[in-house]
């Protein structure tokens, strides 16, 4: 009898410890998601506030980058001329159509080059000859959003860039510069997405920057906390049922 009681107590203690551990893990995961939620909401608010600022100069953006500040989506205005014969093409979809974002080297007054994402063109308009009106000549002013370069391919599911075929699947600034015949030391180390200012002929269409930051952390937090509550309720019910059977 005593042995049965001792075994029962041991089983109860082990079960209780496992319950506490499981609840701790579930509550910790829920709390972590709440913290992520607050971080993501602050990030989204910061980006939205940043986008409403007046355009900065190129030197201001470069100073921010040198200080390690986040300049992503910061409005910027630059002046120079497009090297239309060296544009690169980034595979993209826009408004339900397949095509490319046109990244064109922009020669600055100091002799350096900045890749500007001029916007979207349909698949069949990759050849610049099909949109001659949209190839600006002479000095231009571009207003848009500063975009940081990528440190590497964002995911293994992203195809490798077809540099020889001039089809880029991720924004490899080094490869874009090399394929356009530009020395990387003379290339500004970030991009600019041009705004939606219309161009002659209608193509490319600017203003294509997509700011899509998934924010499912509240849903995840509720899921983890919900699982903790369900586990607790089931455990209490099992304990009460066991007491009644004695």
């Amino acid at each position: 009898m005593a042995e049965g009681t001792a075994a029962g107590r041991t089983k109860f203690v082990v079960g209780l410890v496992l319950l506490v551990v499981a609840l701790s893990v579930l509550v910790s995961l829920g709390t972590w998601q709440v913290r992520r939620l607050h971080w993501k909401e602050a990030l989204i608010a910061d980006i939205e506030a940043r986008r409403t600022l007046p355009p900065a100069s190129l030197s201001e953006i470069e100073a921010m980058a040198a200080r390690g500040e986040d300049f992503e989506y910061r409005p910027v205005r630059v002046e120079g001329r497009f090297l239309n014969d060296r544009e690169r093409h980034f595979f993209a979809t826009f408004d339900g159509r397949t095509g490319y974002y046109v990244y064109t080297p922009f020669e600055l007054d100091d002799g350096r080059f900045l890749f500007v994402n001029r916007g979207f063109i349909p698949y069949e308009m990759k050849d610049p000859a099909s949109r001659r009106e949209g190839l600006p000549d002479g000095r231009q002013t571009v207003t848009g959003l500063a975009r940081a370069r990528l440190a590497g391919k964002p995911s293994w599911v992203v195809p490798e860039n077809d540099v020889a075929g001039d089809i880029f699947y991720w924004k490899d600034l080094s490869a874009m510069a090399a394929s356009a015949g530009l020395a990387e030391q003379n290339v500004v180390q970030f991009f600019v997405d041009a705004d939606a200012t219309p161009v002659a002929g209608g193509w490319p269409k600017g203003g294509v920057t997509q700011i899509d930051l998934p924010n499912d952390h509240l849903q995840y937090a509720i899921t983890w906390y919900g699982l903790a509550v369900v586990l607790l309720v089931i455990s209490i019910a099992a304990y009460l049922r066991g007491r009644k059977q004695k």
Side-chain angles (χ1 to χ4, degrees):
M1 187 74 171
E3 291 181 0
T5 302
R9 288 177 179 174
T10 300
K11 183 178 180 181
F12 173 78
V13 171
V14 171
L16 184 60
V17 170
L18 292 176
L19 174 63
V20 170
V21 171
L23 288 175
S24 298
V25 171
L26 292 173
V27 170
S28 296
L29 288 171
T31 301
W32 178 71
Q33 288 295 340
V34 169
R35 291 172 180 165
R36 293 282 296 175
L37 172 65
H38 293 158
W39 168 80
K40 184 62 70 66
E41 288 177 339
L43 176 62
I44 292 173
D46 180 58
I47 289 175
E48 288 303 316
R50 203 181 306 165
R51 292 179 63 195
T52 63
L53 294 173
S57 66
L58 182 65
S59 60
E60 289 176 307
I61 300 297
E62 290 185 300
M64 292 176 65
R67 294 192 298 266
E69 298 177 13
D70 187 2
F71 59 84
E72 186 84 338
Y73 305 115
R74 179 72 164 82
V76 60
R77 180 178 290 115
V78 294
E79 294 184 355
R81 70 180 187 91
F82 284 108
L83 304 184
N84 296 302
D85 59 335
R86 303 193 196 187
E87 65 181 33
R88 305 291 92 184
H89 303 93
F90 178 87
F91 185 78
T93 58
F94 184 71
D95 283 346
R97 303 182 69 176
T98 301
Y100 303 94
Y101 291 157
V102 178
Y103 281 80
T104 306
F106 193 67
E107 186 175 9
L108 305 168
D109 291 339
D110 60 8
R112 294 184 301 159
F113 303 92
L114 168 71
F115 272 96
V116 175
N117 175 9
R118 298 191 58 217
F120 177 81
I121 56 171
Y123 184 82
E124 64 274 11
M125 298 184 74
K126 183 182 178 186
D127 184 354
S130 64
R131 44 184 165 83
R132 293 186 184 278
E133 291 182 76
L135 302 177
D137 188 25
R139 189 174 181 80
Q140 306 290 322
T141 298
V142 175
T143 302
L145 300 177
R147 302 298 309 279
R149 67 175 298 172
L150 298 178
K153 192 167 72 165
S155 171
W156 65 270
V157 299
V158 176
E160 295 292 341
N161 289 326
D162 179 5
V163 178
D166 185 23
I167 302 177
F168 289 82
Y169 298 99
W170 64 279
K171 296 187 300 182
D172 185 343
L173 180 58
S174 298
M176 283 186 175
S179 64
L182 304 175
E184 188 169 356
Q185 63 267 26
N186 294 328
V187 176
V188 175
Q189 295 300 294
F190 54 84
F191 302 92
V192 169
D193 286 356
D195 62 18
T197 301
V199 302
W203 302 101
K205 292 188 180 297
V208 296
T209 306
Q210 299 180 19
I211 303 177
D212 183 16
L213 300 177
N215 190 12
D216 300 323
H217 300 295
L218 178 59
Q219 176 183 335
Y220 295 148
I222 292 174
T223 298
W224 291 122
Y225 285 143
L227 288 174
V229 171
V230 169
L231 177 60
L232 182 61
V233 170
I234 291 175
S235 300
I236 292 175
Y239 172 75
L240 294 176
R241 185 169 57 252
R243 295 275 293 183
K244 287 181 180 181
Q245 292 175 352
K246 289 183 178 180

